[in-house]
Amino acid sequence: MRILIMGAGKMGSFFIDLLSFDHEVAAFEKDPRRLRFTYNCQRFTSLEEIKDFRPELVINAVTVKYTIPAFDEVLPYLPDDCILSDISSVKTGLKDYYESTGHRYVSTHPMFGPTFANLNQLSEENAIIINEGDYMGRIFFRDLYGRLGLNIYEYTFEEHDRTVAYSLSIPFVSTFVFAAVMKHQDAPGTTFKRHMQIAKGVLSEDDYLLQEILFNPYTHDQVSGIRDELKKLLDIIDHRDAAGMKDYLERIRRNVRS
């Protein structure tokens, strides 16, 4: 299959490496410096090259902010039967956009990134395939993610954004709060160092990605839940309520075990 990958950032480069030995792959990237370390693929910096390549599948791996604008830019240069796809972590507006293009489409979300995941061992990582769109496109990604050993889940566009609001916004906001109140430690403990490593990884992500995850319409209720729990915990601390603390710890331990 002829596959065009848009964007040669972290995830774009990952898909180039992953697919280039089994498919005819081309990478389109406006910044030629990002293409320096790509190999076993064609490297495009102009739209006319895309037209000549005639891709059968496009994987849009640009940052969330530019997902739809990037599609708009390349659509005039794609064959009518080309399948559009994205790996965006926020799907808001994508379903309506895809259906307006007249192209077949498939949307997925590999829920890992080079910051934390061991890309050589992904059996503990997850991927979501949106169960709307082109059947054969879904089969392609199910096979691809299955060969990586990923745990695969299928959701609608709406269910995906609800899930992301829970699974990403809670750890992101918790990390933000940690980073906002932390002070330099000359002799940090193990737990502090682990939290610091997570904070540095999260804060190295693209600002717009972090913004879009937190602006997800389903995020507000999740963050409100954090605020409510902090109030409960602060009340226990202020009253030095040993019994209340014991009950609280038992409850949250059950959450972690479940």
Side-chain angles (χ1 to χ4, degrees):
M1 180 183 288
R2 291 187 305 279
I3 301 174
L4 174 70
I5 296 174
M6 298 169 58
K10 293 177 181 178
M11 290 305 291
S13 297
F14 170 74
F15 275 93
I16 292 168
D17 293 344
L18 179 63
L19 294 167
S20 61
F21 288 98
D22 298 314
H23 301 275
E24 187 178 351
V25 171
F28 175 64
E29 171 61 63
K30 290 184 177 180
D31 182 355
R33 293 172 296 181
R34 285 192 165 190
L35 294 170
R36 286 178 298 178
F37 304 111
T38 58
Y39 64 96
N40 203 36
C41 70
Q42 298 185 55
R43 296 181 286 186
F44 298 160
T45 57
S46 74
L47 295 169
E48 287 297 331
E49 292 173 297
I50 294 174
K51 185 176 182 179
D52 294 337
F53 182 62
R54 295 188 58 80
E56 299 167 85
L57 171 69
V58 170
I59 300 177
N60 189 334
V62 305
T63 57
V64 175
K65 180 179 181 179
Y66 299 109
T67 299
I68 290 178
F71 275 138
D72 283 338
E73 193 170 24
V74 302
L75 275 175
Y77 299 87
L78 300 178
D80 292 340
D81 59 353
C82 181
I83 301 174
L84 306 181
S85 75
D86 72 276
I87 56 170
S88 175
S89 55
V90 179
K91 305 297 186 184
T92 306
L94 275 174
K95 180 180 180 180
D96 290 341
Y97 176 79
Y98 277 136
E99 293 182 349
S100 74
T101 67
H103 280 264
R104 294 184 292 159
Y105 67 87
V106 57
S107 186
T108 75
H109 180 190
M111 297 187 70
F112 60 89
T115 302
F116 294 119
N118 177 0
L119 297 182
N120 295 315
Q121 178 54 263
L122 294 173
S123 60
E124 295 184 0
E125 305 294 344
N126 303 316
I128 293 174
I129 298 176
I130 302 301
N131 58 16
E132 302 170 74
D134 185 69
Y135 174 75
M136 293 308 297
R138 299 201 304 274
I139 292 297
F140 174 86
F141 280 99
R142 174 169 283 279
D143 177 67
L144 179 66
Y145 293 154
R147 286 190 283 115
L148 290 174
L150 292 166
N151 301 297
I152 301 170
Y153 300 88
E154 291 200 10
Y155 296 127
T156 65
F157 280 101
E158 181 180 359
E159 289 169 340
H160 169 273
D161 280 0
R162 287 184 182 276
T163 299
V164 166
Y166 171 76
S167 64
L168 291 183
S169 64
I170 289 178
F172 278 19
V173 169
S174 301
T175 298
F176 292 171
V177 172
F178 167 80
V181 302
M182 64 158 289
K183 297 179 181 178
H184 175 72
Q185 299 287 314
D186 290 326
T190 300
T191 302
F192 184 92
K193 288 190 287 187
R194 288 178 178 173
H195 278 282
M196 176 63 79
Q197 182 182 8
I198 292 172
K200 288 181 177 178
V202 169
L203 294 172
S204 71
E205 297 286 358
D206 177 74
D207 286 359
Y208 195 85
L209 170 63
L210 298 175
Q211 172 185 301
E212 285 301 292
I213 288 171
L214 294 183
F215 289 176
N216 180 326
Y218 303 107
T219 293
H220 176 272
D221 290 347
Q222 302 298 335
V223 178
S224 294
I226 294 175
R227 180 185 58 194
D228 294 343
E229 288 300 320
L230 286 173
K231 287 181 178 179
K232 294 176 186 176
L233 185 57
L234 189 59
D235 185 67
I236 292 171
I237 293 169
D238 287 344
H239 291 89
R240 301 181 66 83
D241 181 358
M245 178 60 78
K246 179 177 175 60
D247 290 343
Y248 189 84
L249 292 174
E250 287 180 353
R251 178 169 67 84
I252 63 177
R253 284 183 176 127
R254 286 197 299 271
N255 287 350
V256 172
R257 286 195 298 267
S258 62

